[in-house]
Amino acid sequence: MPVPTLTLKNGHAIPVLGQGTWELGEPAGDRAAEIATLRAGVELGLSLIDTAEMYGHGRSERLVGEAIRGLREHVYLVDKVLPSNASHAGTVKACERSLKALGVEQIDLYLLHWRGSHPLADTVQAFEQLQRAGKIGAWGVSNFDTDDMRELLPLGTPQVNQILYNPSRRGPEFDLMPLCAQAGVRTMAYSPIEQGRLLRHPALAQVAQRHQATVAQVALAWDIRGGDVVAIPKASTVAHVQDNARALDIRLTEADMALIDEAFAPPTHAQPLEMI
């Protein structure tokens, strides 16, 4: 079955379930297995791969570059610039380093990893310069809270805000996600399983039992339930990415959602954006 997609403001369709790469490419990891996993994920339709220059000081980017060799036309590639590098000149140089590490001519979506000390206007101008030069296809941000987004939106057209969002981190639902939705900025959810900490939660386990699924699959299905959020779980084995893909088959019922809401109450007031 084709993977459902959502459409960015620029008209580009991306899958609602992708692949994260935090801690992939580390010396202690199984490089061959990690490459095989990313390639298997692309074959399953999880063709959005997210990385960052920070991940392993470029090791993740190099691993991704090796994994997508021969598959580039089928992959939507997301990368991030560190805030410390996000001056105008620094952003351009960082992008060029990432392109070299990845072995590609263009990054599809380039994000500011989180808010730093450099003026946002300078970073946005660099993003737009890189876009005109064909080195990135689009740009966005990560870990931007409501006030950050209000400052950013008059400066340009971000496509995505990548944030920490899962059943135990629902604060963005109150004001951040509605603001982004109104502006046409899509939400991308990292750590959708809370780095494994949700796997033993009894409410999620009860929902998983109803669907003959795993807790991880239920958490992923919850993130993408409305078709307007992209989840980017990490997997390091082919079996793991296959399990992630099965989350696409789960349709949470009203009873499921009520149980999850009881365990993880929706926010009733604004909360500072959390980060991992």
Side-chain angles (χ1 to χ4, degrees), residues 137-189:
W139 64 271
V141 291
S142 179
N143 296 302
F144 266 47
D145 209 342
T146 307
D147 288 344
D148 298 319
M149 289 303 303
R150 289 195 178 109
E151 184 178 345
L152 175 71
L153 289 170
L155 301 177
T157 309
Q159 301 296 319
V160 158
N161 186 20
Q162 186 182 117
I163 58 172
L164 176 61
Y165 180 60
N166 62 52
S168 68
R169 309 275 192 163
R170 299 185 66 170
E173 292 177 7
F174 186 81
D175 54 356
L176 177 59
M177 292 171 70
L179 172 66
C180 287
Q182 184 178 16
V185 178
R186 295 296 195 173
T187 295
M188 190 175 290

Side-chain angles (χ1 to χ4, degrees), residues 34-251:
E34 290 170 352
I35 289 171
T37 299
L38 289 171
R39 293 179 69 88
V42 174
E43 291 171 2
L44 288 165
L46 312 189
S47 55
L48 184 150
I49 298 179
D50 175 86
T51 188
E53 66 169 340
M54 184 187 81
Y55 297 170
H57 302 287
R59 288 190 294 269
S60 235
E61 290 176 321
R62 291 191 288 275
L63 179 107
V64 169
E66 187 173 346
I68 67 174
R69 200 168 297 152
L71 298 175
R72 179 66 186 96
E73 64 184 287
H74 304 292
V75 172
Y76 190 82
L77 191 56
V78 183
D79 207 335
K80 309 182 202 72
V81 57
L82 277 165
S84 56
N85 292 332
S87 66
H88 186 286
T91 299
V92 172
K93 290 178 181 177
C95 182
E96 290 171 346
R97 285 194 303 271
S98 292
L99 289 168
K100 183 176 180 181
L102 291 161
V104 300
E105 295 182 355
Q106 186 184 76
I107 294 164
D108 296 302
L109 180 64
Y110 198 41
L111 311 180
L112 174 58
H113 208 148
W114 64 87
R115 184 74 185 271
S117 59
H118 293 292
L120 283 179
D122 291 355
T123 309
V124 170
Q125 287 171 8
F127 283 158
E128 292 177 343
Q129 177 182 323
L130 289 164
Q131 195 169 1
R132 289 191 299 271
K135 294 182 179 181
I136 66 173
W139 64 271
V141 291
S142 179
N143 296 302
F144 266 47
D145 209 342
T146 307
D147 288 344
D148 298 319
M149 289 303 303
R150 289 195 178 109
E151 184 178 345
L152 175 71
L153 289 170
L155 301 177
T157 309
Q159 301 296 319
V160 158
N161 186 20
Q162 186 182 117
I163 58 172
L164 176 61
Y165 180 60
N166 62 52
S168 68
R169 309 275 192 163
R170 299 185 66 170
E173 292 177 7
F174 186 81
D175 54 356
L176 177 59
M177 292 171 70
L179 172 66
C180 287
Q182 184 178 16
V185 178
R186 295 296 195 173
T187 295
M188 190 175 290
Y190 72 82
S191 293
I193 310 167
E194 190 69 11
Q195 298 184 326
R197 287 187 285 273
L198 291 176
L199 295 179
R200 293 179 179 84
H201 196 281
L204 296 177
Q206 185 175 339
V207 174
Q209 187 175 22
R210 291 175 180 173
H211 291 270
Q212 297 183 316
T214 67
V215 171
Q217 289 163 355
V218 167
L220 292 175
W222 183 90
D223 251 7
I224 62 176
R225 66 196 182 281
D228 55 355
V229 172
V230 176
I232 49 170
K234 183 189 74 173
S236 53
T237 68
V238 171
H240 189 179
V241 79
Q242 290 171 339
D243 282 345
N244 287 346
R246 294 188 185 103
L248 295 164
D249 298 327
I250 297 173
R251 299 292 179 267

